[in-house]
Amino acid sequence: ARPRVGYYYSGKTPGKVIAEKLHRIKVGEIKSVPVVVPEHCSVYDAVVTMFIEDVGTLFVVREGGLLEGVVSRKDLLKTTLGGQDIHKLPVGVVMTRMPNVITVGPEDSVWIAAKKLISHEVDALPVVRPAGEGAKSTELEVIGRLTKTNITRLFVELGEGN
Amino acid sequence: ARPRVGYYYSGKTPGKVIAEKLHRIKVGEIKSVPVVVPEHCSVYDAVVTMFIEDVGTLFVVREGGLLEGVVSRKDLLKTTLGGQDIHKLPVGVVMTRMPNVITVGPEDSVWIAAKKLISHEVDALPVVRPAGEGAKSTELEVIGRLTKTNITRLFVELGEGN
């Protein structure tokens, strides 16, 4: 019989209900604040920034917050083993440089972001939008950070029934 | 009217459907293989192991796979900056040592695991079971690894409607 109280869904499996929900939540709703450094920043200062801000990935930007590259804890750990002077080596030398950076937009679904994190094997994505007037069409402004931590936190919240 | 085809759920919001699903999936279903090193392993060799195995966290074990501690990319990055001889420094000196390691069991829900990852601010949990005969009651055997990557991958799969 038809339930007397509450909601009901016709023709939807639990999997379908979950899939629709995950596709509906947008990156802009759960993104974190980006932590950025300039390209001439030393590897040593980048590591210090990473510890002070307690993040695993830094975005390298130039004036106006325009994305130049991304540097991860893994990149920095590899560099510290290399025997170079990390006080002099600029982070621009060891970062992944545009256009090889995987990005996501604030209106993309968190499901798309999660898929990019897994398929490209990265821990964090810069959340970007096209740069404003006067910029080249390929230039991107960093407005956030989307990580596996954001996805895990969302997972916890969904499990609380929110 | 009652739907003529498909499933329907009485009194369940979409949030409730999702929450029930997340509480039903067990750690043992999605865990990864653990990557382990012995306590006398040097910090240098631990970093090399991390790169070869492409993981962010190593579990430090003694004979029988018994858990001694956990060492993360963050712990190792901090150590490489410290100016000590990482070829001589054993990983046991820089790891988080038992009983301060946060663990999870194979029968725990992935939701519980995700909650531990977030609240204790770690990237990975050792999946453990009580050690066998002859061991102390506090001893734990490492049988897997549960990370934010596992949670993110599950999130992608749930979004595909599986």
Side-chain angles (χ1 to χ4, degrees):
Chain A
R2 178 175 167 171
R4 270 182 286 177
V5 294
Y7 303 69
Y8 71 102
Y9 303 95
S10 52
K12 284 189 192 171
T13 62
K16 183 92 177 160
V17 172
I18 292 170
E20 283 184 5
K21 175 77 178 171
L22 297 187
H23 285 267
R24 216 159 41 222
I25 304 169
K26 291 188 191 307
V27 165
E29 295 172 47
I30 68 162
K31 69 177 163 60
S32 296
V33 172
V35 179
V36 303
V37 292
E39 193 172 341
H40 56 75
C41 171
S42 72
V43 166
Y44 179 85
D45 286 342
V47 175
V48 170
T49 303
M50 208 169 254
F51 277 103
I52 289 173
E53 302 285 346
D54 197 23
V55 293
T57 306
L58 300 173
F59 304 140
V60 182
V61 300
R62 64 172 182 282
E63 214 177 326
L66 300 182
L67 184 62
E68 298 265 41
V70 166
V71 67
S72 69
R73 210 176 264 159
K74 193 172 162 180
D75 297 327
L76 295 177
L77 184 58
K78 193 185 280 177
T79 306
T80 61
L81 281 193
Q84 296 172 84
D85 184 348
I86 61 170
H87 289 272
K88 288 185 181 157
L89 193 67
V91 80
V93 175
V94 303
M95 71 182 185
T96 299
R97 187 176 287 277
M98 285 289 282
N100 298 322
V101 176
I102 310 302
T103 65
V104 75
E107 294 298 316
D108 289 331
S109 72
V110 290
W111 184 77
I112 288 289
K115 220 170 140 72
K116 286 185 175 184
L117 288 167
I118 294 299
S119 63
H120 296 282
E121 298 184 358
V122 292
D123 289 328
L125 299 169
V127 182
V128 298
R129 65 182 172 203
E133 278 179 38
K136 290 182 207 159
S137 63
T138 54
E139 289 184 317
L140 299 170
E141 183 188 349
V142 178
I143 58 169
R145 180 167 58 97
L146 198 287
T147 69
K148 288 176 186 168
T149 304
N150 294 125
I151 301 290
T152 304
R153 192 177 295 124
L154 175 60
F155 189 93
V156 171
E157 285 169 10
L158 291 175
E160 282 161 354
N162 300 332
Chain B
R2 179 176 166 169
R4 269 183 286 176
V5 292
Y7 303 70
Y8 72 100
Y9 303 95
S10 52
K12 285 189 190 172
T13 63
K16 184 94 176 159
V17 172
I18 292 170
E20 285 184 3
K21 174 76 178 173
L22 297 186
H23 285 266
R24 215 159 40 223
I25 304 170
K26 291 188 190 307
V27 165
E29 296 173 48
I30 68 161
K31 69 178 161 61
S32 296
V33 172
V35 179
V36 303
V37 292
E39 193 173 342
H40 57 73
C41 172
S42 73
V43 165
Y44 179 84
D45 286 342
V47 176
V48 171
T49 302
M50 209 170 253
F51 278 103
I52 289 173
E53 302 285 347
D54 197 24
V55 292
T57 306
L58 300 172
F59 303 140
V60 182
V61 300
R62 64 170 182 281
E63 214 177 327
L66 300 183
L67 184 63
E68 298 264 43
V70 166
V71 67
S72 70
R73 210 176 264 159
K74 192 171 163 182
D75 296 327
L76 295 178
L77 184 58
K78 193 184 281 176
T79 306
T80 62
L81 280 194
Q84 296 173 82
D85 184 349
I86 61 170
H87 290 271
K88 288 186 181 155
L89 192 67
V91 82
V93 174
V94 302
M95 71 184 186
T96 299
R97 186 176 290 277
M98 286 288 283
N100 298 322
V101 176
I102 310 301
T103 65
V104 74
E107 295 299 316
D108 288 332
S109 73
V110 289
W111 184 76
I112 287 289
K115 219 170 142 72
K116 285 186 176 183
L117 288 167
I118 294 298
S119 62
H120 296 281
E121 298 184 1
V122 292
D123 289 328
L125 300 168
V127 182
V128 298
R129 64 182 173 204
E133 278 180 37
K136 290 181 206 157
S137 63
T138 55
E139 289 184 316
L140 298 171
E141 182 188 350
V142 179
I143 58 168
R145 180 168 59 97
L146 199 287
T147 69
K148 288 176 185 168
T149 304
N150 294 125
I151 301 291
T152 304
R153 192 177 294 125
L154 174 60
F155 189 93
V156 171
E157 286 169 10
L158 291 174
E160 282 160 353
N162 301 331

